[in-house]
Amino acid sequence: MKILVPVKRVIDYNLKPRVKADGSGVDLTNIKMSMNPFDEIAVEEAIRLREKGAASEIVAVSIGPAKAQETLRTALAMGADRAILVETDDQVEPLAVARILKAIADEEAPGMVLMGKQAIDDDCNQTGQMLAALMGRPQGTFASLVAIEGDHVSVTREVDGGLETVKLALPAVVTTDLRLNEPRYASLPNIMKAKKKPLDVKSPADYGVDTTPRLTTLKVEEPPVRQAGEVVGSVDELVTKLKAMGAVA
Amino acid sequence: MSALVLAEHDGGVLSAATLATVTAAAALGGPVHVLVAGGDDAAGVADAAAAIAGVEKVLVAQDAAYGAQLAENVAPLIAGLMDGYDAFLAPATTTGKNIAPRVAALLDVMQVSEIISVEGPKTFTRPIYAGNAVATVQSSDARLVITVRTTTFDKAAATGGSATVEAVSGPGDAGLSSFVGLEASRSERPELTSAGIIVSGGRALKDAETFSQIITPLADKLGAAIGASRAAVDAGYISNDYQVGQTGKIVAPDLYIAVGISGAIQHLAGMKDSKVIVAINKDPDAPIFQIADLGLVADLFQAVPELTGKL
């Protein structure tokens, strides 16, 4: 079974983004970029499925600027077999990403698409579900456990009230939650080897997808700043202040 | 703008998240209808939905295929009903987040995720970058699909409404997926996302037993829900549905007490809209103190039991 793993290049998750003064967006110049953390988990899970013999080939895909090649090389260094970059400098919304991935899935015929549950930049949490809808296939979102059982996959999902298990007919789209696994680090020899692995560069037009945004961002602002608080000296003072505020009875 | 709201329920009880979503839907300015999709017990939930103030009509789709809220079955049902509506709204809970984007793709529209305000019929604000920025976005789609961050909208009154209830049907079982089971975490406490007070613990609590020894009495005293940072969850102190943050639950209680939590941006994304934030941490430089209304630099193993005793 072939596994398709979409990955996104985003601001490194440790960094605090700065909003541009003109309200046009977040300043990403000279900012460290990395693979979206949920996507690393997806790559790791695909590799583990291959190590168990449940998968034969792992194809990593990214849609974004030329620099997204670095993100794909990271996936290749972790263990993906080959990569496809759909290069565009436009901001591509989840719906258009899902359309491009659908076209790639039509060509590649993967048994499973494994991807992150959300990207930490736009925080949309949409692409996997949209892709599953466009493919007319089942979805296992927010997965914390994935087990292939013949022509089905059993997915344990992190839901608000606990853990839910569903059984999906393959091919299926599975989106990863944080606790699915601990992604491995790419070793130096594997980083070197990854440079020789195949990486195809395509464009959205190759797949006949119009990436014109449906949503217009009118402005991006800093969230309201909280009033500076105070540091109290003792538990007694804390209790007194809390009571004065009416926060506790 | 006529709006259809997905009712979130567990087969018996309508969730509070649904009430907040109704408020967001009403802000679009048109009639609000609620869809209850479920199995045998959908009728009872539909009655509860009909009593929500401001709801004009309740559509009830009763079919075993909708019992487990599987997206493969529920999304086509909703897409089929959308001819009569300008907007579909779901709470940004795991149920809503699972189903709504599938509906959006079936309708060929871009979803607007986790809105925190309605600025106009097609203009909304939503947090991005783990809540470090707020974007105002305008949709150009003919129909809207929206998920609602329920902590930022007031809950519609659960009583006082008198909506008509109408049965609807959809394509039923898509035959792609099946529900195997739910391992629910049991809790006698208030539900995390709707609690008035939350006591949350982090990595500094050492282990599951200590977490429970320190956090539980304080939560009991305050009638509070218990929360946790990702570090506490990953270390196995408590199960992951207690996690507050970008990847866990988004909460906005009246009082949030952060115990032994440093305040990483991913955690702050889940709680910084709380009315009053109290931080107890021995590190005076912990980022949590930058947003805490009241901070106490102290050893939590002494300070928290003392606080519990004095409340």
Side-chain angles (χ1 to χ4, degrees), chain A residues 5-245:
Chain A
V5 187
V7 295
K8 186 177 185 183
R9 180 178 185 264
V10 298
I11 183 172
D12 190 86
Y13 76 101
N14 283 308
L15 300 176
K16 186 171 160 60
R18 286 189 314 273
V19 174
K20 287 188 205 165
D22 65 359
S24 63
V26 165
D27 191 356
L28 294 175
T29 45
N30 298 321
I31 291 279
K32 186 187 176 201
M33 304 290 276
S34 303
M35 188 190 297
N36 180 45
F38 292 101
D39 303 347
E40 285 188 338
I41 294 169
V43 174
E44 175 67 32
E45 193 66 17
I47 297 164
R48 290 187 189 191
L49 287 170
R50 193 186 53 199
E51 286 167 351
K52 283 183 207 159
S56 49
E57 188 186 22
I58 300 165
V59 183
V61 185
S62 195
I63 295 151
K67 282 193 165 173
Q69 284 206 21
E70 295 165 12
T71 310
L72 288 168
R73 291 289 172 203
T74 305
L76 293 169
M78 286 174 74
D81 298 295
R82 61 188 171 89
I84 302 169
L85 171 65
V86 182
E87 193 177 320
T88 169
D89 285 326
D90 299 336
Q91 290 289 326
V92 187
E93 291 174 341
L95 183 62
V97 170
R99 289 201 172 290
I100 293 169
L101 293 174
K102 156 78 165 69
I104 294 174
D106 286 346
E107 278 182 9
E108 299 279 345
M112 192 190 298
V113 182
L114 252 173
M115 56 200 291
K117 77 164 178 181
Q118 77 188 61
I120 60 162
D121 52 359
D122 61 21
D123 283 334
C124 275
N125 196 332
Q126 302 177 10
T127 310
Q129 295 89 316
M130 287 180 158
L131 175 62
L134 297 175
M135 290 170 69
R137 299 305 308 169
Q139 64 191 48
T141 50
F142 328 140
S144 62
L145 199 68
V146 175
I148 309 273
E149 296 163 356
D151 57 357
H152 284 75
V153 59
S154 165
V155 178
T156 300
R157 309 177 51 232
E158 292 193 16
V159 297
D160 286 333
L163 294 171
E164 177 190 276
T165 302
V166 292
K167 193 174 170 189
L168 313 174
L170 292 170
V173 177
V174 173
T175 75
T176 61
D177 217 319
L178 281 174
R179 270 160 293 273
L180 181 58
N181 60 47
E182 187 96 11
R184 69 194 64 191
Y185 290 101
S187 67
L188 190 59
N190 285 342
I191 292 171
M192 301 310 290
K193 272 186 224 157
K195 292 185 177 168
K196 298 200 181 89
K197 288 186 180 176
L199 192 158
D200 286 343
V201 179
K202 303 273 194 176
S203 76
D206 291 339
Y207 299 103
V209 175
D210 175 8
T211 58
T212 310
R214 307 285 188 90
L215 301 181
T216 312
T217 300
L218 302 178
K219 63 182 172 195
V220 175
E221 298 166 295
E222 294 271 1
V225 181
R226 287 189 74 94
Q227 290 287 333
E230 60 177 314
V231 173
V232 296
S234 68
V235 170
D236 286 323
E237 199 185 336
L238 178 60
V239 172
T240 310
K241 291 251 157 80
L242 278 173
K243 285 187 174 161
M245 284 171 155

Side-chain angles (χ1 to χ4, degrees), chain B residues 38-39 47 68 92 100 114 116 124 130-131 162 175 205 211 223 240-241 250 280 299:
Chain B
D47 289 342
E114 290 216 31
I116 54 173
F124 309 93
S162 54
L205 272 307
F211 188 99
N240 59 38
D241 42 325
I250 311 287
I280 301 174
D299 179 2

